[in-house]
């Protein structure tokens, strides 16, 4: 319902679940990551953009995850569909035709105020979640004695500061319960163990993008599908939602260029991460963050000029501005890790790079001249 509210006018789509690509291969070794990054940097821009869309080799469905007895860690970058996946599992669980008594608990770990450090299992299940009208002790005893009938989802977990959550994850409580965790890649080391199966949520395949855009835009989808930049951007479901919302507008000004779509996406992301709901407040927030945004734009320009997607240093410390980046941690030794940063999508890097160029007009002539050379022709997309 919250997503439908982004669509103006009378044609609000029915936003049902769209298939996501799940990769069960586990962690990629550091040498392979470096090799892939090196290969990607040498690709032509169309081929580089195509690498963002994941291939759907062997489809794993929410129903499959619901049926398995294994504990699962669902890993993925922001907006990639982790929450949608777990909520689809909840929906399927409620629709089952089963006479067996079992229990499903879902916790949004981003609502941190609900989870106190020393809360009990009873507090977690019955205070945070739902308390039975009668027979609370009987229900709790049944849960403890038949923990193999219990599934618990911790969505968006970042740490194990609550002792009861820690005990459940480590199987000190309800040892036979099925635990499902969703987290971002930089948090997974704290939860991933031999007892959990790792699955990476990689977003929409090309077919899923087309299915989603057909449901949200109808014939208007052709405007998006004809643009490689927007098509590949839509592999992230949250971005697909934003692109669809931009193109669904019945009232002017409807976005006519990719730049306008990106401006909407950037403003929406800043609005979401800053909790500024009013346009006036958002404009003031963007003005106040001008220095930090331009520092991000500068490193984006330098990376684009150098034909790389890797940022070795963060441009600032502002978490809202840095939400456009994702960390990539490579284990280089037993106790040593190397962290680089990349934009959530290559064209987002180009957008920020172009913004920096606009703010430095004395550099524009040089960039135009560089675009004419074979070595720097990739900069024409920035223009």
């Amino acid at each position: 319902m919250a997503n439908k509210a982004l669509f103006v006018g009378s044609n609000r789509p029915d936003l049902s679940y769209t298939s996501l690509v799940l990769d069960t291969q586990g962690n990629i070794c550091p040498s392979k990551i470096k090799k892939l990054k090196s290969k990607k940097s040498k690709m032509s821009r169309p081929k580089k953009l195509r690498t963002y869309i994941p291939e759907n080799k062997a489809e794993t469905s929410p129903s499959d995850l619901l049926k398995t007895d294994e504990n699962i860690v669902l890993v993925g970058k922001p907006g990639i569909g982790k929450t949608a996946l777990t909520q689809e599992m909840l929906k399927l669980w409620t629709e089952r035709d089963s006479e067996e008594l079992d229990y499903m608990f879902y916790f949004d770990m981003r609502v941190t105020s609900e989870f106190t450090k020393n809360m009990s299992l009873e507090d977690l299940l019955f205070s945070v979640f739902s308390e039975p009208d009668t027979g609370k002790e009987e229900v709790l005893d049944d849960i403890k004695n038949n923990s193999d009938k219990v599934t618990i989802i911790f969505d968006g977990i970042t740490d194990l500061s609550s002792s009861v959550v820690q005990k459940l994850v480590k199987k000190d409580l309800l040892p036979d319960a099925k635990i499902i965790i969703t987290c971002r890649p930089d948090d997974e080391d704290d939860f991933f163990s031999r007892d959990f199966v790792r699955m990476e949520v990689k977003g929409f395949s090309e077919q899923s993008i087309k299915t989603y855009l057909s449901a949200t835009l109808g014939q208007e989808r052709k405007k998006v599908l004809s643009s490689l930049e927007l098509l590949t951007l839509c592999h992230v479901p949250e971005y697909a939602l934003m692109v669809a919302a931009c193109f669904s507008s019945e009232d002017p000004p409807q976005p006519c260029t990719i730049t306008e779509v990106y401006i909407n996406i950037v403003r929406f992301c800043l609005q979401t991460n800053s909790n500024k709901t009013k346009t006036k407040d958002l404009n003031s927030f963007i003005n106040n963050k001008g220095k930090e945004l331009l520092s991000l734009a500068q490193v984006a320009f330098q990376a684009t000029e150098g034909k790389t997607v890797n940022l070795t240093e963060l441009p600032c410390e502002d978490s809202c501005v840095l939400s456009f980046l994702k960390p990539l941690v490579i284990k280089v030794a037993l106790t040593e890790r190397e962290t680089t940063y990349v934009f959530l999508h290559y064209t987002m890097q180009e957008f920020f790079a172009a913004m920096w160029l606009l703010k430095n007009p004395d550099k524009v002539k040089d960039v135009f001249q560089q675009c004419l050379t074979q070595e720097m022709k990739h900069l024409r997309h920035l223009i």
Side-chain angles (χ1 to χ4, degrees):
M1 295 302 293
N3 289 348
K4 284 178 73 172
L6 292 174
F7 294 85
V8 297
S10 56
N11 298 322
R12 292 190 174 182
D14 178 19
L15 295 172
S16 57
Y17 177 79
T18 304
S19 296
L20 293 160
V21 175
L22 299 178
D23 188 352
T24 58
Q25 292 181 353
N27 282 308
I28 303 175
C29 67
S31 59
K32 191 172 182 180
I33 290 177
K34 287 189 173 182
K35 187 176 180 181
L36 288 171
K37 283 160 60 179
S38 176
K39 183 179 179 182
K40 188 175 180 180
S41 67
K42 297 173 184 176
M43 288 179 176
S44 65
R45 186 169 184 274
K47 287 183 178 179
K48 185 183 291 187
L49 291 178
R50 279 281 177 189
T51 63
Y52 283 90
I53 302 179
E55 292 183 29
N56 207 3
K57 296 176 181 177
E59 187 172 337
T60 302
S61 68
S63 180
D64 296 331
L65 298 182
L66 202 57
K67 291 173 184 175
T68 182
D69 294 327
E70 294 178 303
N71 302 303
I72 302 168
V73 177
L74 295 169
V75 181
K77 61 189 180 184
I80 205 69
K82 302 184 294 295
T83 295
L85 179 60
T86 56
Q87 291 182 351
E88 178 66 9
M89 292 170 66
L90 283 172
K91 179 175 177 288
L92 293 172
W93 182 81
T94 62
E95 294 173 347
R96 291 175 313 152
D97 184 16
S98 175
E99 295 181 0
E100 284 190 31
L101 176 63
D102 60 352
Y103 303 88
M104 172 78 90
F105 297 93
Y106 171 89
F107 298 101
D108 186 346
M109 302 303 290
R110 290 157 291 202
V111 188
T112 54
S113 59
E114 294 184 347
F115 303 93
T116 58
K117 187 174 182 179
N118 298 314
M119 69 192 316
S120 65
L121 179 64
E122 182 180 337
D123 292 332
L124 179 72
L125 300 184
F126 297 154
S127 297
V128 177
F129 195 81
S130 178
E131 183 172 344
D133 296 329
T134 58
K136 182 168 71 173
E137 292 79 10
E138 184 181 354
V139 173
L140 186 61
D141 286 341
D142 188 52
I143 289 173
K144 289 178 178 177
N145 295 330
N146 299 282
S147 62
D148 59 316
K149 304 289 187 184
V150 179
T151 300
I152 301 177
I153 299 174
F154 293 118
D155 185 20
I157 196 166
T158 57
D159 58 53
L160 296 174
S161 55
S162 172
S163 60
V164 66
V165 174
Q166 184 178 32
K167 289 176 181 177
L168 285 166
V169 171
K170 294 187 174 181
K171 298 295 183 176
D172 295 332
L173 280 175
L174 307 184
D176 297 320
K178 176 179 173 179
I179 306 295
I180 300 173
I181 291 171
T182 78
C183 67
R184 296 181 179 184
D186 44 329
D187 294 321
E188 68 174 298
D189 285 347
D190 296 332
F191 319 114
F192 185 57
S193 70
R194 289 178 299 176
D195 299 324
F196 283 81
V197 173
R198 181 190 188 274
M199 291 190 177
E200 184 177 356
V201 184
K202 306 194 81 168
F204 288 155
S205 64
E206 187 163 353
Q207 183 56 51
S208 290
I209 293 172
K210 292 176 180 178
T211 301
Y212 182 85
L213 293 176
S214 294
T216 53
L217 292 177
Q219 289 302 311
E220 288 290 303
R221 71 185 184 279
K222 294 178 181 178
K223 292 181 180 179
V224 180
L225 295 177
S226 62
S227 165
L228 181 61
E229 289 86 350
L230 293 181
L231 172 67
T232 56
L233 180 73
C234 287
H235 87 280
V236 179
E238 186 174 36
Y239 285 168
L241 169 66
M242 294 180 196
V243 169
C246 286
F247 278 93
S248 71
S249 175
E250 295 177 347
D251 303 317
Q254 188 182 38
C256 298
T257 66
I258 292 173
T259 301
E260 289 177 329
V261 173
Y262 272 87
I263 289 171
N264 277 294
I265 289 174
V266 169
R267 286 177 62 84
F268 186 89
C269 289
L270 290 172
Q271 184 180 53
T272 302
N273 287 290
S274 65
N275 296 317
K276 304 292 182 185
T277 55
K278 296 180 180 178
T279 301
K280 183 179 177 181
D281 293 339
L282 179 61
N283 290 340
S284 176
F285 175 80
I286 292 173
N287 284 332
N288 291 334
K289 296 293 181 184
K291 184 178 179 181
E292 290 82 356
L293 287 167
L294 281 177
S295 67
L296 180 64
Q298 184 175 8
V299 298
F301 177 81
Q302 291 167 346
T304 305
E305 192 177 36
K307 207 174 182 181
T308 181
V309 295
N310 299 317
L311 312 177
T312 54
E313 294 183 7
L314 290 176
C316 65
E317 296 182 357
D318 189 279
S319 60
C320 186
V321 174
L322 295 180
S323 63
F324 294 102
L325 303 177
K326 63 175 180 178
L328 185 62
V329 181
I330 301 173
K331 190 175 181 181
V332 294
L334 186 62
T335 58
E336 184 182 356
R337 285 170 172 77
E338 179 185 290
T339 303
T340 60
Y341 301 87
V342 294
F343 278 84
L344 295 176
H345 192 262
Y346 185 45
T347 52
M348 187 67 74
Q349 174 179 312
E350 290 178 324
F351 173 84
F352 275 99
M355 185 168 72
W356 183 85
L357 193 59
L358 282 174
K359 290 294 184 179
N360 293 271
D362 57 308
K363 304 285 186 183
V364 172
K365 186 177 179 180
D366 290 339
V367 174
F368 264 118
Q369 289 176 338
Q370 289 180 65
C371 287
L372 301 176
T373 67
Q374 185 66 24
E375 185 183 358
M376 304 297 285
K377 65 180 182 179
H378 63 281
L379 290 178
R380 69 181 184 272
H381 300 289
L382 183 152
I383 297 295

